Each structure stands twice: as structure tokens, then as C-alpha cells.
């Protein structure tokens, strides 16, 4: 498997020329990197005007590996080819590194670039990408891969330190400024005759005064600041300021996942980072659950919940929870007086859907407060603290339908708000609490369970208790503090407000079931097809779909014949009969569109004729495997067993007029908004991704 690395943009607040003066000092060897033994120049070329310089070096690196590896490999040193291309005119340095040792077994490819900061020409940017592909290594490929990535991560950390070390060395020598390159000017003929035949004079490097030295304004924002989140690459200072300290490999995972999102969805960096942390920075696993969550947010319009959902008055009166200042670390603090809440009464009066929306609105508000506190306190705040007071908890809270609703809510929150809980303080836990914990804990992620702290009776009042997490001045009055906490005291919900059991049983929980979007499975050899009947020409068919898994090809066909419809046993339907001939029984009205996994596609088609239009999503495979596709229907059951031959789409369609097309708009998720736009070749259709 190819291991890849992508660095954030590292900004040096020094001019490019000064950075280059520091950079060249790391050759032929560098005391800060003991394993970098030596280097020799094997090729050097200069352009006629001196603007471009190409230098190729052969670098000798000590094999920092266990003795067993060295003995198997039969080498003590590794050799790399290091190519530098310096463009003084454009003020850019391009570096390319490949391995010479074991080049038939291992492929190492690294590219680095020093460029001028796009917003401040007195600053310099550094970017770095690398890939490692170990094809064979004496049967120890996995161990060699882990060792190589560990060593590479350690060397990345030293990169900026080395430049800063040599900058300090230059400063100690009195060099704080290097003039920019300028094209050489040919001297006038008369001056040429008067020049003495002496050696060229040495060029003095001017040292500016403190007033002349460019300094960074404290209000300058890094390239990857929140105001510029559309940039694919992130600034290292921005990561440290808004996201926290990450290892080089964790930074690389974040940037690579962010690049994928930029191609398919727009994602907030902190939100993306939470999913990476939830999967221990396993890129593929994080991408899978993030894609599912983004589709869920779009499907249920979660991004607009705070602005569109109006809390029922019952929740205002009887839901005993609310936000209350922040903890000692600046994390938003949410207090829930669960023991005072009539959970059975709320479920009987409101149903599960309203309670779920309430919990989702709390989580959405928590995300907003984390962003706000990050700006206020000047450090990354990505989670909140929850304080749960269990005084009054009794067997009534273990009402089975209520516990069932709680477990379903936990399932939704765990899947879509990972790593948002910093700490959960459970106070005044009664004897019945272990029973509730036994029921609930299996549904809570192990990493989340580690954040639970339980205090029985008044244990929270002593050392190691509440004061270790919350400042005394914000401890609520009902816990013995002096701060007034404006949270409803709850009480029993009047039974007159209960809904009938029949009404509760017939209620469909729309956030789990009903939605304007539908899902369909697409198999190799078994496309999913949707029939739309059009009675009048110039009608407008619009669609909006997400490719949740696999790659698909999207087609639109027209037929004057009504296809034979058979109710499918699964969410997969075929309408085009195998006996139909393309061009006779049905025709293609749009150019086929290939859609990659994770893409969000919206478009419309203006019909030219009445009849039957068929929207088709077909499995897309590489050219190498396309010749071995399964029959359309006969082998559907067989293809169901092959996960790699299955795709999944989530779609919504509607039919309207030209007027509706001009005025229509989609409420796409702010976390999964379309990022690119393209048009179909036909003038009667528009498609955007």
C-alpha cells in the first residue's frame, strides 16, 4: 500500500532570499540531523542571466534501523538523489528527492516547494508532499513501512527547526537581509574600456535597521484562517491556533481528507478533525463515516435546525437542561438535571421525534459555542463539558419506551457528533444509577465512556470534585454554589397533555425514516431505474443525488412505451426490458455522467416530448473489469454477496415547469455544499456537482 504525506503550508515570516541563504547552509551536512552524513554535488547548471540554478546532489544517509534490518539489507547507508531548481526571478525553489538505494524494492518520492507568500511578499511559504511504496523488503514490508514513516515524521519535525537555526546563525553574523536578484545590466562601451583588470569586488550585504526590518502585524491572519477555509492547504500556524497540536502524520491525514472534501463537499476543519480522531486518524475509516454523516445532515437538513425548528412550549417548561458559562479550560458547559426531568411524561406528550430534535439542537448549539470560545480564548476548543445531576433519579426513569428512545438518540449522536464531549460529570448518583448504566453503556463508544466521571452523594464537593473542572463562581446554586442557574426545575408533565398510545405507535420518526430523499442500491449488472411519466412537453425534471458508496454512471432515457413494473424485493429496480433496443424502443436524452463516490450532483432536464422518462444509476467499473460484467438480472443475488460490486445512492426528484426551474433552490448542507459546477452538452439540461 502506498503511504502518502501532505504537509500544511508552513510560513516563515522572513523574505525568500534570506530563507534561501539559511537553506544552503544545511549542505553538505547538517549537525541537527545526525543521520544526514554527507552530500556531494554531481551536477550544477546556471542560466545565462543567472536567474535559474539547478543543482543535483547525491546524499548519504545513515540507515537508522534495527541491526536485523541492516544485516538483511546488507547496507549501513542509504543514498538519495536530491534535485534543486532555484528560480530567482520568480522567487521559488523546487526540490525533488528520490531514493537510489533499493530503488527496485522501494519507491520514495518527495517534492518540496519554497514560494513567496501570496499576501505578503516579505514572507515565505513551504509545502511538502511525499509518497512511500514498499513493493518488497525481504518479507518485512509492513515493519519496514512503519519504521520508515516513523523516521520520516521525526525528520519533518526538524525541518522548520533547521531553517530557524540557520536564520539565527545568520543573524548572529549580522546578516538579516539579502537583496533580491535583479537581471544583470550590460555596462556601456566606454565604461568597459575604463574598467581595471582586477578581481571582482566583494558584495556587501546591507543590514537594515530595526525600523527597516519587516515585521508581522498581530492582526495578520494565516493563509488557512477560518475566513479562507476554501483553501485546500492549511497554514501550520492556523492548525496550531484553531485546531491544536497535531503530529505531522495527523496533519497530513487532515489535509488529505480535506482535499477529498474540497472535491466533493465543503467541510469545516474542526468537524473533519473530530471524525479523524474518532477513528484514530485512519483515513479510510474516517472518510467513510464522515461521508455518511454529511449525507445524513443533508438528507435531514440538520444545518438549518437551529434556525428552522421551534421548540414546543413543553420543552421550555419541563426540559431541565441548558447552557451555563464554561469550564476551567474554556469549554462550553451544559447542565442537565436528569433526576428532575419527567422523561416518561415528555416521551408520552411529545414523542421521540421532538426529543431527538431537541438533542440535535443542543449539539448544533454546542458546535457554535466551541467556535465562539475558540475565538474568545485564543486557543482551540473543540468539545464541551456536560454536568448531569441525578438527584431524584428513580425507577420511573427506567421506563422501557423511554430507555429505548434514549438508546436510539445516543446512536444518532455517536454517529454524527464524534469527539464533541470533553468530559461528562455525573453528580449525586443514586443506587438505581448502576441499573441505568448497565442498559446504556454498551451503546456508548469506549473512548466516550472513558470521559465519564461519577460522584455519589456529596463526593463532588471535596478535593478532586467539581472545583477541579469548574470555577467556584460559576457552580450552580442547586449544587451549593453562588451562581444563579436559569434552568427549568422541571416537574411532572400533566397527564392531560399525554398523547394516546395509538398516536405514539402510529407516529413515524421522520429523522430516521421519512425524508424527501430515498436510497437505492446499484449492483454490478443490476442498475437502479426510476420512472417519471410526462404528459406535456417542456416540463422540467430536476434531481439531486449523493453517491454514498462506489462509482456510478447516471443516464436519462425516454420511451413512448410504458415499461413493465414489478415491485422490487429490495431498493433496486430495473425498468428497461432486456429485449428493448436502444434507438428503437428507447433513446438516450442526456450524455452519460460518471459520478465518483462522495459526489453530490444536482441537475435538471427540460423535456421535449411526452412519454416515459427513465433515470438510471448504473454501476461503474474500470475498463479492465468492464468486460466481465454480470448479466443484468440472473446474477443479482450473486453480486449481492460481493461488496465491491455494490453502490449506494441517495436521491430526490421532482417534476415542474420552466418557472419552477428558474425559482428553485436546494437547501444543501453547509458541511456538504457543492463545490464545482459543470454543464451538460445539451442546452436543455443543467448539471452541477
Amino acid at each position: 500500500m502506498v503511504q502518502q504525506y501532505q504537509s500544511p503550508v508552513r510560513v516563515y515570516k522572513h523574505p525568500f532570499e534570506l530563507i534561501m541563504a539559511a537553506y544552503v547552509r544545511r549542505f553538505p551536512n547538517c549537525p541537527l540531523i545526525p543521520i544526514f552524513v554527507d552530500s556531494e554535488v554531481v551536477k550544477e547548471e546556471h542560466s545565462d542571466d543567472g536567474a535559474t540554478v539547478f543543482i543535483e546532489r547525491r546524499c548519504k544517509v545513515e540507515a537508522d534501523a534495527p541491526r536485523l534490518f541492516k544485516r538483511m539489507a546488507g547496507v549501513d547507508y542509504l543514498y538519495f538523489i536530491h534535485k534543486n531548481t532555484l528560480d530567482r526571478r520568480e522567487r521559488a525553489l523546487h526540490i525533488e528527492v528520490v531514493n537510489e538505494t533499493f530503488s527496485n524494492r522501494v519507491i520514495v518520492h518527495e517534492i518540496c516547494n519554497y514560494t513567496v507568500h501570496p499576501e505578503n511578499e516579505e514572507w515565505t511559504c513551504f509545502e511538502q508532499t511525499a509518497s512511500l511504496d514498499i513493493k518488497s523488503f525481504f518479507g518485512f514490508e509492513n515493519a519496514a513501512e512503519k519504521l520508515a514513516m516513523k523516521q520520516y515524521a521525526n525528520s519533518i519535525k526538524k525541518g522548520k527547526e533547521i531553517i530557524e537555526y540557520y536564520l539565527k546563525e545568520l543573524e548572529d553574523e549580522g546578516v538579516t537581509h539579502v537583496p533580491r536578484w535583479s537581471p544583470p545590466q550590460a555596462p556601456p562601451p566606454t565604461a568597459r574600456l575604463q574598467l581595471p583588470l582586477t578581481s571582482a569586488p566583494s558584495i556587501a550585504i546591507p543590514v537594515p535597521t530595526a525600523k527597516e526590518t519587516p515585521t508581522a502585524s498581530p492582526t495578520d491572519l494565516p493563509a488557512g484562517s477560518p475566513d479562507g477555509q476554501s483553501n485546500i492547504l492549511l497554514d501550520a500556524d492556523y492548525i496550531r491556533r484553531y485546531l491544536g497540536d497535531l503530529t505531522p502524520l495527523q496533519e497530513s491525514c487532515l489535509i488529505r481528507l480535506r482535499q477529498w472534501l474540497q472535491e466533493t463537499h465543503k467541510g469545516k476543519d474542526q468537524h473533519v478533525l473530530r471524525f479523524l480522531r474518532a477513528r484514530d486518524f485512519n483515513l479510510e475509516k474516517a472518510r467513510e463515516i464522515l461521508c455518511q454523516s454529511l449525507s445524513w445532515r443533508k438528507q435531514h437538513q440538520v444545518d438549518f435546525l437551529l434556525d428552522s425548528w421551534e421548540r414546543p412550549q413543553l420543552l421550555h417548561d419541563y426540559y431541565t437542561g441548558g447552557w451555563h458559562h464554561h469550564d476551567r479550560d474554556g469549554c462550553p458547559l451544559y447542565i442537565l438535571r436528569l433526576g428532575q426531568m419527567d422523561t416518561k411524561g415528555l416521551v408520552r406528550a411529545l414523542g421521540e421525534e421532538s426529543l431527538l430534535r431537541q438533542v440535535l439542537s443542543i449539539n448544533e448549539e454546542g458546535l457554535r459555542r466551541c467556535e465562539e470560545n475558540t475565538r474568545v480564548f485564543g486557543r482551540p476548543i473543540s468539545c464541551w463539558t456536560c454536568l448531569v445531576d441525578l438527584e431524584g433519579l428513580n425507577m420511573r426513569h427506567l421506563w422501557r419506551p423511554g430507555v429505548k428512545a434514549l438508546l436510539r438518540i445516543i446512536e444518532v449522536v455517536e454517529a454524527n457528533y464524534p469527539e464533541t464531549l470533553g468530559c461528562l460529570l455525573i453528580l449525586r448518583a443514586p443506587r438505581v444509577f448502576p441499573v441505568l448504566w448497565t442498559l446504556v453503556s454498551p451503546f456508548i463508544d469506549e473512548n466516550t465512556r472513558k470521559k465519564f466521571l461519577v460522584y455519589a452523594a456529596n463526593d463532588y464537593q471535596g478535593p478532586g470534585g467539581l472545583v477541579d473542572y469548574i470555577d467556584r463562581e460559576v457552580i450552580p446554586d442547586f449544587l451549593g454554589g453562588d451562581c444563579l442557574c436559569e434552568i427549568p426545575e422541571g416537574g411532572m408533565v400533566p397527564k392531560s397533555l399525554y398523547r394516546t398510545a395509538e398516536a405514539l405507535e402510529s407516529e413515524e420518526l421522520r429523522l430516521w425514516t421519512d425524508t424527501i430523499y430515498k436510497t437505492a442500491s446499484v449492483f454490478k449488472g443490476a442498475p437502479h431505474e426510476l420512472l417519471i411519466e410526462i404528459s406535456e412537453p417542456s416540463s422540467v425534471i430536476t434531481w439531486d443525488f449523493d453517491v454514498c458508496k462506489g462509482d456510478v454512471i447516471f443516464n436519462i432515457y425516454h420511451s413512448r412505451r410504458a415499461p413493465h413494473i414489478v415491485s422490487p424485493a429490495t431498493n433496486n429496480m430495473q425498468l428497461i426490458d432486456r429485449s428493448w433496443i436502444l434507438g428503437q424502443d428507447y433513446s438516450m436524452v442526456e450524455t452519460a455522467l460518471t459520478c465518483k463516490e462522495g459526489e453530490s450532483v444536482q441537475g435538471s432536464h427540460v423535456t421535449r416530448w411526452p412519454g416515459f422518462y427513465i433515470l438510471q444509476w448504473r454501476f461503474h467499473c474500470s475498463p479492465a473489469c468492464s468486460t466481465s460484467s454480470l448479466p443484468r438480472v440472473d446474477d443479482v443475488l450473486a453480486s449481492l454477496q460481493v461488496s465491491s460490486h455494490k453502490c449506494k445512492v441517495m436521491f430526490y426528484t421532482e417534476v415542474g415547469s420552466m418557472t419552477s426551474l428558474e425559482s428553485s433552490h436546494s437547501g444543501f448542507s453547509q458541511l456538504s455544499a457543492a463545490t464545482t459546477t459543470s454543464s451538460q452538452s445539451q442546452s436543455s439540461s443543467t448539471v452541477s456537482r
Side-chain angles (χ1 to χ4, degrees), residues 327-343:
D327 66 6
R328 287 183 176 271
D329 295 326
C331 299
L333 175 63
Y334 189 83
I335 296 179
L336 179 65
R337 303 186 67 180
L338 183 60
Q340 304 299 314
M341 186 186 299
D342 181 11
T343 53

Side-chain angles (χ1 to χ4, degrees), residues 220-366:
D220 289 332
L221 289 176
S225 64
D227 296 331
Q229 284 205 17
S230 60
N231 298 330
I232 290 181
L233 295 178
L234 293 177
D235 178 84
D237 293 336
Y238 160 71
I239 292 178
R240 208 162 33 247
R241 166 68 174 81
Y242 291 95
L243 306 179
D245 293 326
L246 303 177
T247 68
L249 296 182
Q250 288 174 344
E251 289 177 341
S252 175
C253 287
L254 172 62
I255 293 170
R256 289 167 59 197
L257 184 55
R258 197 173 185 268
Q259 286 176 337
W260 175 77
L261 284 175
Q262 289 290 344
E263 296 169 359
T264 55
H265 311 86
K266 283 186 178 178
K268 294 184 178 180
D269 299 322
Q270 189 61 262
H271 191 72
V272 174
L273 186 58
R274 290 187 181 100
F275 283 87
L276 281 168
R277 284 181 170 143
R279 290 299 179 267
D280 294 325
F281 286 87
N282 183 306
L283 191 61
E284 293 303 319
K285 291 181 179 179
R287 191 179 86 159
E288 180 180 357
I289 62 172
L290 178 58
C291 182
Q292 293 172 356
S293 179
L294 293 176
S295 298
W296 173 81
R297 296 183 71 90
K298 175 181 176 179
Q299 187 174 6
H300 302 293
Q301 302 290 289
V302 176
D303 286 314
F304 309 103
L305 184 64
L306 290 179
D307 299 323
S308 62
W309 184 58
E310 185 174 349
R311 294 174 63 197
Q313 188 60 42
L314 265 175
L315 288 176
H316 286 284
D317 296 337
Y318 296 100
Y319 190 86
T320 55
W323 294 99
H324 180 77
H325 299 281
H326 55 79
D327 66 6
R328 287 183 176 271
D329 295 326
C331 299
L333 175 63
Y334 189 83
I335 296 179
L336 179 65
R337 303 186 67 180
L338 183 60
Q340 304 299 314
M341 186 186 299
D342 181 11
T343 53
K344 179 179 179 179
L346 289 174
V347 173
R348 291 290 304 273
L350 295 172
E352 290 184 39
E353 182 184 349
S354 293
L355 289 179
L356 175 60
R357 290 184 182 274
Q358 168 70 3
V359 174
L360 295 183
S361 68
I362 292 171
N363 281 271
E364 290 296 306
E365 177 64 24

Side-chain angles (χ1 to χ4, degrees), residues 39 131-132 235 251 316 374-375 387 421 424 488 581 602 633:
S39 64
S131 63
L132 170 68
D235 178 84
E251 289 177 341
H316 286 284
T374 296
R375 291 189 293 267
L387 188 156
L421 179 65
L424 191 139
I581 300 175
Q602 302 84 38
V633 179

